[in-house]
Amino acid sequence: MFKINQNFTKLPASYLFSEVARRVNAYSQAHPEVEIIKMGIGDVTRPLCKAVVDALHKAVDDEAQAATFHGYGPEQGYGFLSEKIAEYDYRRHGIDMDADEIFISDGAKSDTGNIGDILSTADKVAVTDPVYPVYVDTNVMAGRAGELLADGCWSNIEYLPCNAGNGFVPSLPSGNPDVIYLCYPNNPTGTTLTRSQLKEWVDYCRLHGALLLFDAAYEAYIREDDVPHSIYEIEGAKEVAIEFRSYSKTAGFTGIRLGYTVVPKALKGLGDDGEAVALNPLWRRRQTTKFNGASYLTQRGAEALYTPEGQAQVRETVDYYLENARIIREGLAAAGYDVVGGVNSPYIWVKTPGTMTSWEFFDYLLDRYHIVGTPGSGFGPAGEGYFRLTAFNTRENTLRAVERLTGSGK
Ligand code: MLT
């Protein structure tokens, strides 16, 4: 009989957001009359902006004519988009970037999950805690995580707790990890790191030969000057960091899917023979073998984001969600909740009242106020006693949710 990848059996039976959805569906079926406000998974509610919709329509017309039809595209994405990314997302911000350092994909979730393909399964991993579960779960699948311990940690992963005690700022690792995941603005806490704080991480990686996997999926939400949008704003980062970006929360692409990953040409890891090996060709090899490229349509849609209209329309959408975040943050704080995040981020991280666990608070909010959030403990042991709300619902529902939670409205 063939054998399975045993690592999969070590994982909790369902992925965090699938478990939340399962519980919400069960509740809805039992209470069909109840109108539930969803502030759980970070899925957007605003439609695609006009610039993108127009570009998508035009791309469909291209596909309808033999002369402009596109079949398989380049696995790493079309030059018309990667050139725009290099120019608008990097060079215009003073960061050196070539288009062939950019790999367009169907989103940051896939890429943060797949990047381990080009790393040794012997690499030791460090994550902040709480953390986006994809980083941990995919390392469990690859066999890097070890065993699940009674405290909810995996034996081979170093956890860097982020809590009220340290202002949600992780300490540098002590266990000499080879690979470090950072997500800033942070999912789930909504907190950020300043330029000098991020510099410490880049310096650490340079000194210790560690790889920094930097998830910048929420960079469009940054409004404060001292918070870098890209890890490459930090000197020397191109030698130690891979950056992941997404159009999901920026431009509402959660449904149509698109993101990209930057693998700088200067970034090198160690081969078995002790020689330095560039990661850029490895990732290209991985993508060309396992991925056939994001769709032509979606890439044309994203290209339109780099026009003046596209930029303005996207900014308006992100500002809308940031205003929702302000309403949630200030409303809950005024009602006596301890909250962080929601300033440069669509996520608000709330301390559960009293001794309530994260899942108890989840059940309480669902049952009493018909509001869905995400239990903090689902993001790691240090998330216990916390709860994540998203600002991605409509203004109307956001106001209603805050009113239900606080009895005030704002
Ligand atoms: C989240 O809610 O954490 C994200 O939407 C999940 C994702 O992007 O995959």
Side-chain angles (χ1 to χ4, degrees), residues 41-317:
I41 191 166
D43 197 5
V44 295
T45 50
R46 304 259 290 174
L48 297 170
C49 68
K50 181 169 182 328
V52 169
V53 172
D54 290 348
L56 288 172
H57 281 302
K58 177 164 181 321
V60 170
D61 290 341
D62 289 348
E63 293 296 75
Q65 304 290 331
T68 49
F69 173 77
H70 290 71
Y72 291 129
E75 294 88 347
Q76 69 277 16
Y78 284 100
F80 64 74
L81 181 57
S82 51
E83 289 290 351
K84 293 267 173 13
I85 292 169
E87 174 63 21
Y88 284 81
D89 291 349
Y90 294 100
R91 292 198 289 264
R92 288 197 179 192
H93 302 279
I95 299 165
D96 234 9
M97 189 63 70
D98 291 336
D100 60 1
E101 296 179 288
I102 287 155
F103 295 84
I104 295 159
S105 72
D106 67 346
K109 180 179 186 179
S110 324
D111 285 357
T112 53
N114 291 330
I115 197 73
D117 277 11
I118 62 167
L119 303 175
S120 166
T121 49
D123 278 342
K124 170 112 198 272
V125 168
V127 295
T128 56
D129 177 19
V131 69
Y132 180 42
V134 170
Y135 313 154
V136 171
D137 287 6
T138 53
N139 277 293
V140 175
M141 292 170 181
R144 281 190 204 91
E147 302 304 320
L148 186 57
L149 305 173
D151 63 1
C153 294
W154 292 87
S155 58
N156 286 350
I157 292 185
E158 180 172 358
Y159 289 78
L160 309 167
C162 299
N163 48 41
N166 59 17
F168 298 92
V169 176
S171 301
L172 291 171
S174 57
N176 214 16
D178 304 295
V179 180
I180 301 167
Y181 290 81
L182 288 185
C183 173
Y184 284 97
N186 187 253
N187 179 14
T189 64
T191 57
T192 49
L193 292 184
T194 62
R195 197 170 305 278
S196 59
Q197 286 169 328
L198 277 178
K199 182 175 180 319
E200 288 180 30
W201 289 87
V202 170
D203 290 349
Y204 174 92
C205 289
R206 286 168 66 86
L207 189 67
H208 292 84
L211 172 66
L212 181 56
L213 297 177
F214 191 78
D215 187 348
Y218 301 93
E219 65 77 30
Y221 289 79
I222 295 171
R223 291 291 179 267
E224 291 181 332
D225 285 344
D226 198 29
V227 180
H229 288 249
S230 165
I231 195 65
Y232 305 122
E233 289 179 41
I234 312 293
E235 202 188 332
K238 283 190 101 179
E239 284 154 38
V240 292
I242 289 177
E243 178 162 288
F244 304 92
R245 295 241 190 146
S246 167
Y247 293 99
S248 288
K249 322 295 156 86
T250 312
F253 278 38
T254 50
I256 65 171
R257 312 298 309 145
L258 205 70
Y260 64 85
T261 290
V262 181
V263 186
K265 286 181 275 194
L267 177 60
K268 297 192 170 120
L270 219 51
D272 284 347
D273 57 4
E275 292 293 312
V277 179
L279 267 62
N280 179 293
L282 295 191
W283 185 244
R284 185 174 309 277
R285 188 70 176 83
R286 191 266 173 213
Q287 291 298 81
T288 49
T289 305
K290 290 197 179 181
F291 183 59
N292 249 344
S295 86
Y296 170 73
L297 307 184
T298 319
Q299 292 185 70
R300 280 292 183 205
E303 183 191 21
L305 294 167
Y306 296 97
T307 59
E309 308 78 60
Q311 298 269 290
Q313 290 163 12
V314 155
R315 174 92 184 186
E316 191 191 324
T317 297

